[in-house]
Amino acid sequence: MSRKRHTPEVDFERVRAHYDLSDAFFALFLDPSMVYSCAKFDGPQTTLAEAQRAKIDLSLDKCELGPGHRLLDIGCGWGATALRARERYGARVIGLTLSRNQFEHDQRLARGLDGVEFRQQGWETFEEPVDRIVSIGAFEHFGRAKYAAFFARCRAILPDRGVMLLHTITAGKPSQDWDFLRFVHFIATEIFPGGDVPSPESVIAAARAAGFELVHAESLRPHYARTLDCWAANLESRRADAVALVGEKTCEKYMKYLTGCAALFRSGECNVHQFKLRTV
């Protein structure tokens, strides 16, 4: 695993190493909204696109989001959550991403829309007051040395009784199995450089220390196994297109990542949680 410190420059470099690979490649296995995080399947016939919309609505409902609220979306990805917050809830949204490709994609999405703004910026330099914060699938990239600073910054820009929804992969049941440790090393070096998955307890402790109370925590672990199954099946069905875009080696690496992670979420060695937090 890389031992580089999580400076803003290093974080930009690491994020781009993954998310700026190729929008066309990610589009081969993600749903049309390009949501790249755990979905929520409400039934056996639920499609991936429907499940991603359900996850976004679940997240924004937990934010207690309403018309006119100023929402900060930290790690906004390809923009689906920000657009949904504006269209369904009437919020005014600022989305932050470090990825150049995502930012350019999001700029195109927001063209001509009022109340949605995207910035290629990290949370470290964002100092404007907001009413709500949502962050889905970004916390894993921050590194534990930044947890205190992250929650302190979120607390500083939220009002009293402000709400934040944090969605992050978390450590599951303890495991010292060699295959598990080897796969974790593969993910941290080949897929998400510098990634650092927190325990649920460390998230709650860091949030409490910064002035948040835990309102609700929910595990979506089985849903992530199914999400990854869908992504792997999509990629396999478009293998020839994927190889043409990124090469055989990268295609194989992503298949290993998607199928291997699905197995870990299914076994409980990895988890994913949503934490609803309120300022106190």
Side-chain angles (χ1 to χ4, degrees):
M1 180 181 295
S2 171
R3 297 296 179 184
K4 290 183 180 180
R5 294 178 57 208
H6 279 266
T7 65
E9 294 77 16
V10 169
D11 286 346
F12 264 83
E13 174 189 322
R14 287 168 168 166
V15 164
R16 289 169 181 163
H18 183 89
Y19 295 95
D20 286 351
L21 174 62
S22 165
D23 281 8
F25 172 69
F26 287 111
L28 294 178
F29 64 89
L30 302 180
D31 76 291
S33 69
M34 296 286 284
V35 178
Y36 193 22
S37 55
C38 174
K40 180 178 180 292
F41 294 86
D42 291 327
Q45 304 305 316
T46 302
T47 68
L48 177 60
E50 291 167 343
Q52 291 293 11
R53 174 61 61 86
K55 184 275 303 296
I56 290 173
D57 287 349
L58 175 72
S59 305
L60 296 176
D61 284 344
K62 288 179 179 178
C63 286
E64 301 176 14
L65 195 60
H69 278 149
R70 196 167 193 235
L71 172 71
L72 177 65
D73 183 356
I74 299 175
C76 62
W78 281 280
T81 299
L83 292 184
R84 184 67 168 169
R86 180 58 181 163
E87 294 166 357
R88 184 185 186 200
Y89 298 83
R92 303 188 68 84
V93 191
I94 299 172
L96 305 182
T97 178
L98 299 183
S99 162
R100 181 182 295 110
N101 284 6
Q102 289 178 345
F103 175 67
E104 292 174 355
H105 173 91
D106 294 344
Q107 288 285 84
R108 292 191 294 271
L109 286 180
R111 191 171 296 139
L113 292 179
D114 177 59
V116 181
E117 177 186 357
F118 293 103
R119 303 178 187 177
Q120 192 177 14
Q121 179 182 358
W123 56 265
E124 297 90 339
T125 59
F126 188 90
E127 299 179 342
E128 302 164 30
V130 296
D131 301 299
R132 302 287 188 267
I133 296 174
V134 65
S135 184
I136 300 174
F139 191 76
E140 304 93 316
H141 296 287
F142 298 162
R144 64 193 67 188
K146 281 189 172 184
Y147 292 174
F150 171 73
F151 284 112
R153 175 56 53 89
C154 291
R155 178 63 187 90
I157 62 178
L158 282 169
D160 291 341
R161 307 293 293 168
V163 179
M164 174 166 69
L165 186 282
L166 179 67
H167 173 123
T168 181
I169 296 172
T170 54
K173 65 184 182 183
S175 176
Q176 292 300 314
D177 178 80
W178 174 246
D179 288 339
F180 169 76
L181 296 175
R182 185 168 54 186
F183 187 77
V184 168
H185 178 75
F186 160 73
I187 292 294
T189 55
E190 299 292 327
I191 304 297
F192 295 107
D196 190 4
V197 173
S199 69
E201 296 81 4
S202 67
V203 175
I204 295 167
R208 291 183 64 218
F212 287 91
E213 65 176 350
L214 176 66
V215 178
H216 183 261
E218 180 177 5
S219 167
L220 298 176
R221 182 176 63 81
H223 297 273
Y224 214 167
R226 185 170 167 186
T227 303
L228 287 154
D229 287 342
C230 290
W231 290 343
N234 288 344
L235 184 56
E236 181 60 36
S237 71
R238 302 293 301 278
R239 178 181 286 270
D241 295 326
V243 170
L245 283 168
V246 298
E248 184 72 39
K249 183 178 179 180
T250 297
C251 182
E252 287 296 331
K253 184 169 66 173
Y254 269 73
M255 285 300 301
K256 177 180 176 180
Y257 142 54
L258 296 173
T259 57
C261 284
L264 293 183
F265 281 100
R266 195 164 282 112
S267 72
E269 290 165 291
C270 285
N271 208 327
V272 59
H273 279 87
Q274 290 198 336
F275 301 94
K276 179 177 178 178
L277 305 166
R278 194 186 306 276
T279 60
V280 292

